[in-house]
Amino acid sequence: RVSSSGSTVPLATVAPDGSPYIAPLWYEWNEEDGGFYFVIRERAGFMPHILRDPRVCLSIASETPPYARCTILGKAEILGRPGEPETWRPIAERMARAYIGERGAGYIDGTAQFPRWLVRIVPDSMTTWRGGAWARRYTEGG
């Protein structure tokens, strides 16, 4: 099963000076392999960060109660490069439908000439929270 929430996810990369750089992006999650997939424009300013240092962080959160949240630390894998066969297209088409509805197919057709990267984030760790209660580590001594 694959899914997108219809909300962008902040993708944090490591800039050359070591500072974090965050870009909100469309994504698709693949339940089968646990990967988060991104179709990224060829000239995206953060792609050199990923190529130099594949460590990334994602933050996914619902904006309504019970405010489920997930922080994912992982590594980026390059699955497709600009100019290679359009391995990104089926994923981009699904994302476009999830994010912009029926206009999605037209969006992809109208921008298909622009090269893209296909990137998969492989989680190393995931931290999740659900609900409004405070975690015990914040309320108990020790």
Side-chain angles (χ1 to χ4, degrees), residues 10-142:
L11 170 68
T13 60
V14 182
D17 66 359
S19 62
Y21 181 91
I22 299 173
L25 300 170
W26 289 0
Y27 75 99
E28 178 177 276
W29 178 65
N30 184 309
E31 182 177 2
E32 189 173 301
D33 69 11
F36 293 83
Y37 289 78
F38 296 87
V39 176
I40 301 170
R41 294 174 183 160
E42 178 181 30
R43 296 182 189 169
F46 59 88
M47 275 307 300
H49 304 174
I50 289 173
L51 295 171
R52 185 186 49 74
D53 184 344
R55 294 176 301 155
V56 297
C57 181
L58 306 174
S59 177
I60 301 171
S62 64
E63 296 183 18
T64 58
Y67 303 113
R69 303 173 300 277
C70 183
T71 299
I72 299 121
L73 295 173
K75 303 235 177 7
E77 292 181 343
I78 307 300
L79 301 181
R81 295 176 177 274
E84 293 180 354
E86 294 181 350
T87 54
W88 57 266
R89 188 160 182 147
I91 294 171
E93 288 173 349
R94 288 191 302 268
M95 282 195 275
R97 281 193 303 277
Y99 283 90
I100 58 177
E102 294 193 22
R103 295 188 344 245
Y107 170 78
I108 297 302
D109 288 340
T111 62
Q113 75 275 18
F114 299 115
R116 292 169 169 92
W117 298 88
L118 177 59
V119 175
R120 175 178 173 244
I121 303 303
V122 179
D124 290 329
S125 69
M126 296 173 70
T127 304
T128 60
W129 306 265
R130 185 170 194 82
W134 284 48
R136 281 192 303 269
R137 69 183 176 125
Y138 296 120
T139 60
E140 294 180 357

